[in-house]
Amino acid sequence: MVAFSATALPAQAAPDSNDPGGNGHGNKNPGSTSALHSLRAPVTDENFYFVMADRFSNGSTSNDDGGLGSDPMVSGFDPTKKGFYNGGDLTGLLDKIDYIQGLGTTSIWLTPSFKNKAVQPEDKSAGYHGYWVTDFTQIDPHLGTNDELKALIDEAHKRGMKVYFDIITNHTADVIGYEGAARKGYTSKDAVPYKTADGKEFDDRDYAGTESFPALDPETSFPYRPRLDKNEEHLKVPDWLNDPTLYHNRGDTTFVGEDSFYGDFFGLDDLFTEHPKVVDGMKDIYKTWIGKFGVDGFRIDTMKHVNNEFWQEFGPDVLNYAKEQGKDEFFMFGEVFDTTKSFTSQFTTRNNMQAVLDFPFQDAARNFASKGQDATALETFFAGDDWYTDADSNVYQLPTFLGNHDMGRIGSFIAADNPGSTDAEQVARDELAHELMYFSRGNPVIYYGDEQGFTGPGGDQDARQTLFASQVPEYLDDDLLGTDATHATDNFDAGHPLYAKIRQLAGLTKEHPALRDGAHQHRYASDGPGIYAFSRTDAEDQREYVVALNNSEQPQTAEVPTYIAKRTYTRIYGDGADEAKTSAEGKLTVSVPPLSAVVYQSSGRIPHSKAAPAVVLQEPVPAQGDNGRIKVTADVDASSFYEVTFEARTAGGGWQPIGTDDTAPYQVFHDVAALDAGLSVEYRATVLDNGGHTATSPGRAATVPAPVLTLQKPVEGSSVEGSVELSATADPEMASHVVSFERSVAGGDWTLVGSDDSSPVYSVKDDVSALADGTQVKYRATMSGPGFNVSSEVRTVTVGQAPQPDSVTVAGSLNQAMGCAEPWDPACAQAMMELDPADNIWRLTVDLPAGKYEYKAALNGNWDVNYGADGAFNGPNIVLDHPGGPVTFRYDNSTHQLSAVYASQQPQAVSVAGSLGSELGCTADWLPECEQAQLALDPADLVWKLTVPNLPAGSYEFKAALDRSWNVNYGANGVPNGGNIPFAHNGGPVTFRYDHFTHLITAG
């Protein structure tokens, strides 16, 4: 039997004798030690200021070029280009620390500040951002010195502020090339497995998390042979980073599947984080910055692209070291760029990390404050917070944010989401977003410049403007919110309305700390745009704060439930009645102006409960969204402020706490991924009321679910030829899994295709070249293990090219708006699509009024063959929430998927960048900004096209580069940052086509 402690995280300390949940005074159940308070870790009340040092303030011009001379392609310094160092430094941060602190900042978070490779010629940009590290022991000379960093940290500490480092654990600068090319496309582990130094194939996942690892040979162990320039063989510091066998060496990632863990990020050397030398080396690096410089915490880059075993060792070990140095509030949080809580929460539960950046919050906040979506969406969002609850962490620790240096600024989102709106409306929506962030659970993060109304046309370089006067032409065009200022001047205006609002919010939450880390209880949500209301209550103070936010453009009134009946609540924020009294049912009537928020505080404490309410567990069930967890829910038979502690045990084991929830509905998602399928786990819940009374539920048992297999490839209903790739994933994933693939030809028996044991994506290939065109083949994946024998869903494909139908109609409720006589008319000529022989895609562009429509693809002018959502035969209707104006429908008969595409979704520019640049008239090859290589968007079909009248004969390679840079590019098969596309041309005219829906660029 697997020991229960294998999955349980460290329990909270038992309450002391003075704790109402302990064994002392006030506990009406003296035998219970299971009633705990909801955890509040040391960092639940920080106000972060996230700043890119190069773009904040230029305190010293002497370090602008980093001591590398005047050539920008050597030094990386060019203040006229957004992709180069602009001159900001640590001295500038120290000089402007009053400005930062004036916002109410309690923690400064710096983008990576270690020494970078100043310029990577392949990218034609500089390492100003800090993510191309060569020396992990030294501050980048463009930003200052180690001593200047220490001075900044010391000054911050004197002021009661903390300093956080943005750190990288899984890659370095692009130093390693490969035999034959500096960068190559990704090669999977199934195609070319790793080999030991003596030539034996192995799966690295079998060794991850252990202290052993096979010896490797750079010449024979990897799919590509790593190569270093002679003058860069010892470029990296510490020196262990110069060992090429400590890198994955598999080529560039496409950011999906296996290669999201193993591939190089745009050529950056991807470390072998499964190797114990890398784990130990990274721990040593960052312990030094804690011990010698007093850094208070880390934000960890690209956390989801690193294997779980790395975090399970790195996080606890570094945290323990920090505490040994007296850093009791040391805090680490990771970047997990995903909006699914069931996934992002795995890093704080299963992987033992303290917190992750709250990307789901950013998405929800934008939808509410900027897009004006239904308030009920926020109710649904906050209801998922219990995914983060376990024995040593919860949602209150998460840093929340509205925009950042990668995705873009909240100001730019608001401008894009509300075209034609006034500056006053945009500022109001910006303030509403900040009100939601400051008043709801989590640690708010201000991205530098947001307090000055910075915007920009997009993310990455377009969202990295300087606070000091800029010389970058693209920045000078920005329209800032709340001011007539531009980027041509310094923007350190403490009187800016957004700076003033953020300062006000920080001050209010400091005065009323329950607004920072009190229990966040949902109260009310309008069915459409309108009021979302919640309360915040401190477990000790027991005063209730009611927060109501209105995202509509009209005043709104709501009756908001509270904990207290017939009690006066006083307004402490916003515009509205100074006081309001709850009804006999405990409802508080609040009126909220458009795009605004109000906060009311109860005049007294929540009345003490006279006895603990009854608590009963619902049946524990496997959690939807994460098959490695069990959802455990407790029903409490009363309505007041309660805290419910959940415990679990396996046969023969003791009860262990698995989390405490302080908001209804009371639930946890217990991680059982490491337990054997079929094992029985027993649960119980203990409720603690605000009078110190407790009650414990009867126990209920659940069985650890069997893993779920999901086929990733092939696509259901697709056409296949030759070699067919089959791939599957398992939930939960284990390195010991072995997945088999089977096929059934034309309804025949299931036969084995092959098996794979290389996690995390299992794949084999099937040869269908001997099968006749039109043959249907079914595929499935199977797996067995202790306590389970499971199969995936079945997917059916057809051998050969699928014959095109005679016609395809966009048939639905929109037909009359197209000019048809009636809705849902499969024979309407105006709704029929046109087949493009260049790519075998059917397309139709129409101009439709705004509205919500439903439609399907009807073939051959009737309903006999039709496809709905996700390309399902006779499937459900496809829903289109149309803003009004032109829309292009595209139908792919190989997948049967009908989709709506908009011009607004297109990039600003697309170029065919490659070895043909000189022949096109560019000054050099591979220039994404070259005008002669730019494609033009055809509004009739939303396909980008470039016709070259007479391209000389030759063998070329090319890719699609978006927005005149390499930041976003697509290669072979439409893969992000994929391999070059070869093109053998006999000379003469050629047309390049790029479809942004598929990211495919072709020549023909």
Side-chain angles (χ1 to χ4, degrees):
M1 184 180 72
V2 178
F4 179 81
S5 59
T7 57
L9 295 174
Q12 295 168 221
D16 62 36
S17 59
N18 295 318
D19 192 312
N23 291 327
H25 178 71
N27 188 349
K28 305 306 180 185
N29 184 4
S32 171
T33 59
S34 55
L36 302 173
H37 284 303
S38 174
L39 177 69
R40 291 301 182 271
V43 179
T44 57
D45 57 357
E46 295 292 339
N47 298 325
F48 285 94
Y49 188 74
F50 175 35
V51 59
M52 183 170 284
D54 178 67
R55 303 301 168 94
F56 184 73
S57 177
N58 192 346
S60 172
T61 59
S62 64
N63 57 24
D64 285 353
D65 62 10
L68 298 175
S70 60
D71 184 352
M73 291 305 295
V74 176
S75 72
F77 174 68
D78 187 341
T80 68
K81 292 183 178 179
K82 59 184 179 180
F84 283 70
Y85 288 94
N86 279 195
D89 49 35
L90 297 177
T91 298
L93 278 166
L94 185 57
D95 291 345
K96 297 289 186 181
I97 200 167
D98 286 340
Y99 169 87
I100 296 174
Q101 190 172 28
L103 271 173
T105 301
T106 61
S107 292
I108 302 171
W109 159 18
L110 297 170
T111 51
S113 302
F114 307 119
K115 184 177 181 180
N116 268 232
K117 196 171 187 180
V119 177
Q120 291 189 170
E122 295 86 354
D123 299 291
K124 294 183 171 59
S125 64
Y128 69 95
H129 41 67
Y131 293 97
W132 299 346
V133 181
T134 57
D135 187 343
F136 286 84
T137 69
Q138 178 185 349
I139 292 298
D140 192 306
H142 296 83
L143 306 181
T145 65
N146 288 13
D147 288 340
E148 287 170 336
L149 172 71
K150 188 66 168 62
L152 174 63
I153 294 174
D154 289 347
E155 180 60 27
H157 287 173
K158 288 179 184 177
R159 294 166 174 257
M161 293 193 293
K162 301 173 183 175
V163 176
Y164 283 71
F165 259 24
D166 199 320
I167 67 169
I168 302 154
T169 62
N170 67 324
H171 65 256
T172 70
D174 183 7
V175 177
I176 297 174
Y178 300 124
E179 187 176 67
R183 297 179 181 179
K184 290 192 175 185
Y186 186 79
T187 297
S188 72
K189 295 200 297 179
D190 292 315
V192 183
Y194 285 118
K195 294 181 180 179
T196 64
D198 56 8
K200 182 180 179 181
E201 293 183 359
F202 75 99
D203 186 1
D204 57 289
R205 290 292 175 108
D206 294 336
Y207 297 89
T210 72
E211 291 301 317
S212 64
F213 205 86
L216 303 177
D217 185 333
E219 296 301 310
T220 59
S221 293
F222 304 93
Y224 297 126
R225 291 186 176 93
R227 293 291 182 259
L228 292 166
D229 289 343
K230 285 294 183 183
N231 59 346
E232 292 186 337
E233 289 181 347
H234 293 281
L235 177 66
K236 298 176 186 178
V237 181
D239 191 58
W240 65 264
L241 289 165
N242 296 301
D243 180 354
T245 68
L246 295 180
Y247 296 83
H248 283 133
N249 296 321
R250 289 198 164 272
D252 283 353
T253 181
T254 66
F255 302 98
V256 294
E258 173 192 298
D259 67 71
S260 69
F261 293 95
Y262 291 87
D264 297 338
F265 279 47
F266 302 103
L268 300 176
D269 301 344
D270 202 65
L271 281 158
F272 218 141
T273 50
E274 295 80 6
H275 201 302
K277 287 184 180 179
V278 175
V279 180
D280 292 341
M282 282 295 163
K283 288 191 298 186
D284 291 343
I285 285 171
Y286 292 116
K287 286 178 182 179
T288 299
W289 287 100
I290 298 169
K292 289 188 175 181
F293 293 87
V295 174
D296 298 291
F298 297 140
R299 177 268 194 188
I300 305 172
D301 190 48
T302 59
M303 180 176 277
K304 75 175 184 178
H305 298 291
V306 179
N307 55 296
N308 292 346
E309 297 86 356
F310 180 93
W311 302 123
Q312 291 162 1
E313 182 170 347
F314 179 90
D317 196 30
V318 171
L319 181 60
N320 287 338
Y321 176 83
K323 290 183 176 180
E324 291 171 359
Q325 310 307 306
K327 293 281 184 182
D328 292 334
E329 294 191 358
F330 192 85
F331 183 58
M332 291 179 285
F333 55 96
E335 177 205 27
V336 182
F337 199 157
D338 196 284
T339 59
T340 308
K341 290 184 179 181
S342 59
F343 175 70
T344 57
S345 61
Q346 292 179 11
F347 294 85
T348 64
T349 54
R350 187 171 302 164
N351 289 348
N352 298 353
M353 298 302 294
Q354 292 169 283
V356 291
L357 273 169
D358 200 344
F359 279 91
F361 173 86
Q362 188 279 331
D363 184 61
R366 176 181 178 179
N367 288 338
F368 179 78
S370 181
K371 295 183 177 180
Q373 292 189 359
D374 292 358
T376 53
L378 275 186
E379 175 185 4
T380 302
F381 166 77
F382 286 113
D385 281 352
D386 293 321
W387 280 102
Y388 296 96
T389 302
D390 66 4
D392 68 350
S393 62
N394 56 31
V395 76
Y396 295 99
Q397 297 166 232
L398 303 192
T400 54
F401 68 103
L402 301 172
N404 65 19
H405 60 318
D406 290 328
M407 61 170 41
R409 297 182 177 276
I410 182 61
S412 65
F413 299 147
I414 290 171
D417 295 338
N418 301 275
S421 58
T422 65
D423 181 70
E425 178 186 336
Q426 292 179 14
V427 170
R429 290 187 180 278
D430 201 309
E431 292 180 347
L432 180 64
H434 282 90
E435 288 164 339
L436 175 62
M437 180 170 68
Y438 270 83
F439 292 145
S440 61
R441 87 293 183 274
N443 297 286
V445 178
I446 300 300
Y447 178 43
Y448 85 99
D450 283 358
E451 76 278 6
Q452 297 295 330
F454 283 12
T455 55
D460 199 75
Q461 295 177 9
D462 288 330
R464 300 173 181 179
Q465 302 90 335
T466 56
L467 273 171
F468 58 96
S470 178
Q471 302 176 47
V472 176
E474 295 93 331
Y475 295 159
L476 300 180
D477 289 339
D478 289 354
D479 186 10
L480 281 63
L481 304 186
T483 179
D484 293 329
T486 72
H487 289 295
T489 62
D490 289 357
N491 283 283
F492 296 97
D493 180 12
H496 190 285
L498 290 173
Y499 185 101
K501 174 59 66 176
I502 293 168
R503 178 174 54 201
Q504 179 190 13
L505 294 171
L508 184 71
T509 55
K510 181 178 181 180
E511 182 181 354
H512 301 275
L515 292 171
R516 288 278 7 99
D517 59 7
H520 178 127
Q521 176 64 59
H522 164 75
R523 290 303 189 188
Y524 177 89
S526 300
D527 287 335
I531 290 178
Y532 175 71
F534 55 94
S535 62
R536 305 297 305 271
T537 306
D538 181 80
E540 181 177 350
D541 182 63
Q542 290 286 301
R543 294 181 189 274
E544 182 177 23
Y545 294 81
V546 174
V547 180
L549 306 105
N550 177 15
N551 74 337
S552 77
E553 296 179 31
Q554 294 80 35
Q556 299 283 336
T557 299
E559 292 185 346
V560 180
T562 70
Y563 286 128
I564 317 171
K566 298 180 179 180
R567 182 68 60 84
T568 297
Y569 281 66
T570 303
R571 178 176 54 82
I572 62 170
Y573 179 84
D575 296 327
D578 291 339
E579 292 184 346
K581 191 172 184 179
T582 56
S583 66
E585 294 77 28
K587 292 188 175 181
L588 181 72
T589 301
V590 295
S591 295
V592 190
L595 304 177
S596 299
V598 296
V599 181
Y600 285 85
Q601 177 191 15
S602 65
S603 60
R605 299 185 175 188
I606 301 170
H608 275 189
S609 173
K610 299 185 185 303
V615 57
V616 177
L617 285 181
Q618 297 181 16
E619 181 182 1
V621 294
Q624 291 187 354
D626 184 351
N627 192 56
R629 290 198 254 187
I630 292 178
K631 179 182 177 182
V632 189
T633 303
D635 294 327
V636 176
D637 188 24
S639 178
S640 186
F641 181 83
Y642 303 118
E643 298 172 274
V644 178
T645 296
F646 295 85
E647 296 173 288
R649 68 179 178 183
T650 53
W655 288 106
Q656 295 195 31
I658 57 174
T660 299
D661 191 9
D662 58 5
T663 60
Y666 303 98
Q667 59 188 1
V668 294
F669 294 85
H670 180 220
D671 195 323
V672 295
L675 298 180
D676 286 342
L679 185 70
S680 180
V681 183
E682 186 181 6
Y683 296 98
R684 72 179 183 183
T686 298
V687 61
L688 169 66
D689 70 10
N690 65 352
H693 316 100
T694 64
T696 299
S697 74
R700 294 199 70 164
T703 300
V704 176
V708 172
L709 277 179
T710 302
L711 274 181
Q712 304 295 333
K713 295 178 182 179
V715 174
E716 171 64 24
S718 60
S719 301
V720 298
E721 294 179 300
S723 180
V724 182
E725 183 178 1
L726 313 178
S727 67
T729 55
D731 179 20
E733 168 56 38
M734 289 187 180
S736 58
H737 287 333
V738 179
V739 176
S740 297
F741 295 86
E742 299 174 342
R743 79 177 189 181
S744 167
V745 178
D749 294 338
W750 289 100
T751 59
L752 180 67
V753 176
S755 300
D756 185 26
D757 62 357
S758 59
S759 61
V761 178
Y762 305 88
S763 63
V764 299
K765 290 189 176 180
D766 184 30
D767 186 359
V768 298
S769 58
L771 301 179
D773 286 358
T775 303
Q776 285 200 333
V777 183
K778 298 179 184 292
Y779 291 105
R780 70 183 182 186
T782 65
M783 182 173 67
S784 60
F788 70 90
N789 190 341
V790 296
S791 298
S792 71
E793 81 281 19
V794 174
R795 292 192 178 178
T796 304
V797 300
T798 302
V799 177
Q801 288 294 324
Q804 296 293 339
D806 294 333
S807 67
V808 179
T809 307
V810 182
S813 61
L814 39 59
N815 284 158
Q816 286 175 302
M818 293 177 170
C820 304
E822 58 185 16
W824 297 98
D825 184 0
C828 174
Q830 293 92 326
M832 288 187 174
M833 311 178 79
E834 183 176 346
L835 178 65
D836 187 339
D839 58 6
N840 285 326
I841 300 297
W842 295 76
R843 292 184 176 87
L844 172 67
T845 298
V846 292
D847 198 325
L848 294 176
K852 182 168 284 188
Y853 301 101
E854 295 187 358
Y855 62 96
K856 301 173 77 171
L859 274 56
N860 303 321
N862 58 57
W863 287 111
D864 293 345
V865 179
N866 70 85
Y867 297 95
D870 298 320
F873 175 73
N874 203 29
N877 297 339
I878 307 167
V879 178
L880 174 65
D881 192 355
H882 182 55
V887 56
T888 296
F889 295 95
R890 68 185 311 279
Y891 172 76
D892 185 342
N893 196 49
S894 67
T895 63
H896 307 304
Q897 292 201 351
L898 176 61
S899 309
V901 185
Y902 291 94
S904 60
Q905 298 169 332
Q906 301 296 317
Q908 295 179 334
V910 176
S911 63
V912 52
S915 60
L916 41 67
S918 300
E919 286 78 4
L920 295 178
C922 304
T923 57
D925 291 339
W926 298 99
L927 295 181
E929 68 273 21
C930 171
E931 196 62 40
Q932 292 90 330
Q934 302 302 313
L935 284 68
L937 180 64
D938 187 341
D941 55 15
L942 294 188
V943 175
W944 294 77
K945 302 170 185 175
L946 171 66
T947 297
V948 181
N950 188 20
L951 182 67
S955 294
Y956 302 100
E957 291 186 337
F958 63 90
K959 301 172 75 171
L962 274 55
D963 300 329
R964 301 175 185 268
S965 79
W966 286 113
N967 292 333
V968 180
N969 70 85
Y970 298 96
N973 300 314
V975 172
N977 202 39
N980 298 339
I981 303 167
F983 176 45
H985 184 54
N986 294 327
V990 60
T991 297
F992 295 94
R993 297 165 49 96
Y994 171 77
D995 186 342
H996 193 55
F997 186 85
T998 59
H999 306 306
L1000 290 172
I1001 184 169
T1002 58

